[in-house]
Amino acid sequence: MKNGIEIRWHGRGGQGAKTAALLLADVAFKTGKNVQGFPEYGPERMGAPITAYNRISSDVIRVHSNIYHPDYVVVVDETLLDSVDVTAGLKTTGAIIINTAKDRDEISKKLKGYKGRVYTVDARKISVENLGKNFPNSPMLAAAVAVSGVMPRDEFICEMETSYQHKFAKKPEVIRGNMKALETAYDVVDKMICKDDKERLSA
């Protein structure tokens, strides 16, 4: 797909991977992009592996299939690395983003020799600290935006705040918690990207 990106999400039922993909499509659409956000339907039971997809482009999107060669992969549950080939078809020019407390060197051993960029974010910790519960989808959504560069940070944060204000109009504490989780995760991953860029320039 020219002038656009494709993202594949891996998670488990109840973790919000599908919701994150739909939210990303929504905020990207509001910034003037053409978008797709959809799940791959299967057993929709709690805890079962699920897959969701995003296409985001400045051009009209005429493809309507699943995504087999994504630019980016987002893994919301690291236990899937033991049972799902999350790097299947993933472009080495892209990146994979994984919700884990492990460092990149440790987690990379489970990625079947993938040679592209690897980013990690402890979405569980960020979510618990800011929301009091483990809702990893907001931090992982922010991480996906940071890595893909699909929109500027300020624009993303502004659109997400508007979305949360509509969704949680009577729960201001939930809005604050989600916003803090978004900002924290974005900044954690952005620092990793900046560090990688500096290392490449100095190599």
Side-chain angles (χ1 to χ4, degrees):
M1 186 178 68
K2 295 181 179 179
N3 301 315
I5 63 168
E6 295 181 320
I7 302 173
R8 187 173 69 218
W9 297 76
H10 293 280
R12 294 186 183 277
Q15 292 178 329
K18 179 177 76 172
T19 299
L22 296 177
L23 273 172
L24 179 55
D26 185 53
V27 295
F29 178 76
K30 290 176 180 176
T31 65
K33 302 287 188 180
N34 293 291
V35 302
Q36 290 179 357
F38 57 97
E40 179 178 12
Y41 287 103
E44 294 298 308
R45 64 186 186 278
M46 186 74 70
I50 66 102
T51 310
Y53 305 94
N54 283 117
R55 286 189 177 93
I56 302 170
S57 178
S58 56
D59 296 336
V60 175
I61 301 173
R62 303 188 185 282
V63 182
H64 296 281
S65 65
N66 288 349
I67 293 171
Y68 302 103
H69 298 283
D71 299 285
Y72 303 98
V73 164
V74 184
V75 182
V76 182
D77 188 322
E78 70 171 293
T79 65
L80 291 170
L81 301 180
D82 298 320
S83 58
V84 177
D85 185 3
V86 296
T87 59
L90 176 58
K91 298 174 183 176
T92 56
T93 53
I96 185 168
I97 310 137
I98 303 167
N99 172 18
T100 180
K102 299 181 176 71
D103 63 31
R104 286 192 279 186
D105 290 339
E106 185 177 0
I107 208 70
S108 292
K109 296 174 183 177
K110 294 188 175 185
L111 299 181
K112 301 182 181 297
Y114 177 64
K115 301 299 183 183
R117 292 175 293 150
V118 178
Y119 294 103
T120 60
V121 58
D122 193 343
R124 182 186 188 281
K125 179 181 178 182
I126 292 171
S127 177
V128 170
E129 287 179 349
N130 292 285
L131 288 161
K133 295 181 180 179
N134 182 20
F135 292 128
N137 58 335
S138 284
M140 294 309 291
L141 171 58
V145 172
V147 173
S148 67
V150 70
M151 67 186 77
R153 180 188 188 279
D154 291 348
E155 195 169 14
F156 167 66
I157 295 298
C158 180
E159 292 295 346
M160 285 304 300
E161 185 168 19
T162 300
S163 178
Y164 284 145
Q165 285 173 344
H166 176 73
K167 185 176 182 180
F168 303 114
K170 296 181 179 180
K171 297 180 180 179
E173 70 282 0
V174 175
I175 297 171
R176 288 192 299 269
N178 271 293
M179 293 308 301
K180 186 62 177 176
L182 287 171
E183 292 169 359
T184 300
Y186 190 106
D187 293 342
V188 165
V189 176
D190 194 46
K191 286 179 182 177
M192 295 178 71
I193 295 169
C194 290
K195 180 181 177 182
D196 288 352
D197 289 343
K198 288 179 181 178
E199 289 177 351
R200 277 193 291 270
L201 289 172
S202 62

